[in-house]
Amino acid sequence: MAGWEQARRRYRLVHDVAGDFARNGPGALAEWRSAIETEFGGLDDLLRDVQRRFHTTAEARLDALIEAPPGDPEASVVAVLDEVAEIHPDLKRLLDAYADHPAVAEGTARLHRAVRAATGVDLTRTRNRTQPGRSRYEEKGPSRDRKPAYRARLRPVRAWLH
Protein backbone atom coordinates (compact mmCIF):
# COMPACT_ATOMS: atom_id res chain seq x y z
CA MET A 1 0.00 0.00 0.00
CA ALA A 2 2.92 2.37 0.53
CA GLY A 3 3.59 2.52 -3.23
CA TRP A 4 -0.04 3.25 -3.98
CA GLU A 5 -0.15 6.04 -1.42
CA GLN A 6 3.02 7.58 -2.86
CA ALA A 7 1.55 7.45 -6.37
CA ARG A 8 -1.61 9.20 -5.16
CA ARG A 9 0.38 11.88 -3.30
CA ARG A 10 2.50 12.53 -6.36
CA TYR A 11 -0.53 12.66 -8.65
CA ARG A 12 -2.21 15.25 -6.44
CA LEU A 13 1.00 17.24 -6.01
CA VAL A 14 1.74 17.36 -9.74
CA HIS A 15 -1.73 18.67 -10.55
CA ASP A 16 -1.81 21.08 -7.62
CA VAL A 17 1.60 22.55 -8.48
CA ALA A 18 0.80 22.80 -12.20
CA GLY A 19 -2.57 24.43 -11.46
CA ASP A 20 -1.02 26.94 -9.08
CA PHE A 21 1.74 27.66 -11.60
CA ALA A 22 -0.85 28.24 -14.35
CA ARG A 23 -2.80 30.66 -12.15
CA ASN A 24 0.05 32.51 -10.43
CA GLY A 25 3.16 32.07 -12.57
CA PRO A 26 6.68 30.94 -11.64
CA GLY A 27 6.53 32.48 -8.17
CA ALA A 28 4.04 29.81 -7.18
CA LEU A 29 6.75 27.14 -7.24
CA ALA A 30 8.49 28.74 -4.26
CA GLU A 31 5.46 27.97 -2.10
CA TRP A 32 5.62 24.31 -3.15
CA ARG A 33 9.38 23.86 -2.76
CA SER A 34 9.18 21.93 0.50
CA ALA A 35 6.50 19.55 -0.76
CA ILE A 36 8.33 19.07 -4.07
CA GLU A 37 11.61 18.26 -2.32
CA THR A 38 9.90 15.90 0.12
CA GLU A 39 7.99 13.98 -2.54
CA PHE A 40 10.28 14.18 -5.57
CA GLY A 41 13.66 15.22 -4.22
CA GLY A 42 13.72 18.35 -6.36
CA LEU A 43 12.35 20.24 -9.33
CA ASP A 44 14.06 17.99 -11.91
CA ASP A 45 12.11 14.90 -10.88
CA LEU A 46 8.85 16.85 -10.57
CA LEU A 47 9.28 18.12 -14.13
CA ARG A 48 10.08 14.61 -15.36
CA ASP A 49 6.90 13.32 -13.72
CA VAL A 50 4.81 16.15 -15.19
CA GLN A 51 6.24 15.35 -18.60
CA ARG A 52 5.74 11.62 -18.17
CA ARG A 53 2.05 12.19 -17.44
CA PHE A 54 1.66 14.50 -20.44
CA HIS A 55 3.57 12.20 -22.79
CA THR A 56 1.70 9.09 -21.62
CA THR A 57 -1.56 10.70 -22.74
CA ALA A 58 0.02 11.69 -26.06
CA GLU A 59 1.51 8.23 -26.61
CA ALA A 60 -1.81 6.50 -26.07
CA ARG A 61 -3.54 8.76 -28.56
CA LEU A 62 -0.70 8.46 -31.07
CA ASP A 63 -0.85 4.66 -30.80
CA ALA A 64 -4.55 4.81 -31.69
CA LEU A 65 -3.72 7.12 -34.60
CA ILE A 66 -1.15 4.67 -35.94
CA GLU A 67 -3.68 1.83 -35.82
CA ALA A 68 -5.96 3.71 -38.24
CA PRO A 69 -3.61 5.51 -40.65
CA PRO A 70 -4.69 9.10 -41.28
CA GLY A 71 -4.87 10.78 -44.66
CA ASP A 72 -2.58 13.60 -43.50
CA PRO A 73 -0.18 12.22 -40.88
CA GLU A 74 1.42 15.55 -40.02
CA ALA A 75 -1.89 17.29 -39.41
CA SER A 76 -3.14 14.29 -37.45
CA VAL A 77 -0.09 14.14 -35.18
CA VAL A 78 -0.33 17.88 -34.59
CA ALA A 79 -4.04 17.53 -33.80
CA VAL A 80 -3.30 14.80 -31.25
CA LEU A 81 -0.67 16.93 -29.54
CA ASP A 82 -2.99 19.94 -29.52
CA GLU A 83 -5.75 17.77 -28.06
CA VAL A 84 -3.47 16.59 -25.25
CA ALA A 85 -2.52 20.23 -24.56
CA GLU A 86 -6.25 20.97 -24.20
CA ILE A 87 -6.75 18.01 -21.87
CA HIS A 88 -3.82 19.00 -19.63
CA PRO A 89 -3.44 22.78 -20.06
CA ASP A 90 -1.77 23.28 -16.68
CA LEU A 91 0.79 20.56 -17.31
CA LYS A 92 1.46 21.98 -20.78
CA ARG A 93 1.94 25.48 -19.39
CA LEU A 94 4.46 24.24 -16.82
CA LEU A 95 6.34 22.19 -19.43
CA ASP A 96 6.41 25.13 -21.84
CA ALA A 97 7.81 27.42 -19.16
CA TYR A 98 10.60 24.94 -18.43
CA ALA A 99 11.13 23.74 -22.02
CA ASP A 100 14.85 24.58 -21.87
CA HIS A 101 15.36 22.81 -18.55
CA PRO A 102 17.56 19.73 -19.12
CA ALA A 103 15.02 17.35 -17.57
CA VAL A 104 12.27 18.57 -19.91
CA ALA A 105 14.44 19.00 -23.01
CA GLU A 106 15.64 15.40 -22.74
CA GLY A 107 12.11 14.00 -22.62
CA THR A 108 10.92 16.26 -25.42
CA ALA A 109 13.76 15.12 -27.66
CA ARG A 110 12.92 11.49 -26.87
CA LEU A 111 9.25 12.02 -27.79
CA HIS A 112 10.22 13.77 -31.02
CA ARG A 113 12.52 10.89 -31.99
CA ALA A 114 9.78 8.37 -31.22
CA VAL A 115 7.15 10.23 -33.25
CA ARG A 116 9.56 10.59 -36.17
CA ALA A 117 10.45 6.89 -36.06
CA ALA A 118 6.83 5.76 -35.81
CA THR A 119 5.11 8.19 -38.17
CA GLY A 120 7.75 10.03 -40.18
CA VAL A 121 6.50 13.34 -38.77
CA ASP A 122 9.40 15.53 -37.68
CA LEU A 123 8.27 17.61 -34.71
CA THR A 124 11.71 19.20 -34.36
CA ARG A 125 10.95 21.18 -37.51
CA THR A 126 7.86 22.74 -36.03
CA ARG A 127 7.34 26.00 -34.24
CA ASN A 128 4.64 27.67 -32.20
CA ARG A 129 2.18 29.75 -34.13
CA THR A 130 1.25 33.15 -32.81
CA GLN A 131 -2.06 33.34 -34.64
CA PRO A 132 -5.15 32.28 -32.68
CA GLY A 133 -6.79 29.01 -33.57
CA ARG A 134 -3.70 27.61 -35.25
CA SER A 135 -1.57 24.69 -34.16
CA ARG A 136 1.38 25.01 -31.79
CA TYR A 137 3.22 22.46 -33.91
CA GLU A 138 3.23 24.13 -37.32
CA GLU A 139 5.86 22.93 -39.74
CA LYS A 140 8.24 25.61 -41.03
CA GLY A 141 8.15 24.44 -44.62
CA PRO A 142 8.57 21.57 -47.05
CA SER A 143 11.63 19.38 -46.93
CA ARG A 144 12.93 17.53 -49.95
CA ASP A 145 15.06 15.19 -47.87
CA ARG A 146 12.32 14.00 -45.53
CA LYS A 147 11.16 10.40 -45.65
CA PRO A 148 7.54 9.65 -46.51
CA ALA A 149 5.23 10.88 -43.76
CA TYR A 150 3.60 7.55 -43.11
CA ARG A 151 4.90 4.03 -43.41
CA ALA A 152 2.43 1.17 -43.68
CA ARG A 153 4.04 -1.15 -41.13
CA LEU A 154 4.56 0.85 -37.96
CA ARG A 155 5.05 -0.25 -34.42
CA PRO A 156 3.39 1.73 -31.63
CA VAL A 157 5.14 4.92 -30.52
CA ARG A 158 5.75 3.61 -27.00
CA ALA A 159 8.09 0.95 -28.33
CA TRP A 160 10.70 3.63 -29.08
CA LEU A 161 10.38 5.53 -25.84
CA HIS A 162 12.07 3.09 -23.53
Side-chain angles (χ1 to χ4, degrees), residues 15-122:
H15 287 280
D16 289 346
V17 168
D20 198 14
F21 181 88
R23 287 186 302 278
N24 302 313
L29 290 182
E31 297 175 25
W32 292 98
R33 182 185 304 175
S34 175
I36 290 169
E37 289 177 0
T38 299
E39 197 59 53
F40 289 98
L43 181 62
D44 291 4
D45 287 335
L46 170 77
L47 291 172
R48 284 184 187 101
D49 197 54
V50 168
Q51 190 175 54
R52 179 188 59 78
R53 293 171 193 282
F54 189 85
H55 287 181
T56 298
T57 304
E59 293 162 14
R61 291 171 187 271
L62 288 169
D63 280 349
L65 181 69
I66 290 170
E67 292 297 321
D72 182 356
E74 291 184 35
S76 298
V77 168
V78 168
V80 164
L81 295 174
D82 286 344
E83 182 182 338
V84 174
E86 289 177 18
I87 293 168
H88 296 298
D90 296 344
L91 301 183
K92 179 67 171 153
R93 199 163 296 152
L94 183 59
L95 291 172
D96 285 348
Y98 285 90
D100 293 333
H101 189 284
V104 175
E106 175 186 317
T108 300
R110 189 171 47 251
L111 178 70
H112 287 194
R113 285 190 307 270
V115 169
R116 170 83 187 233
T119 67
V121 176
D122 188 359

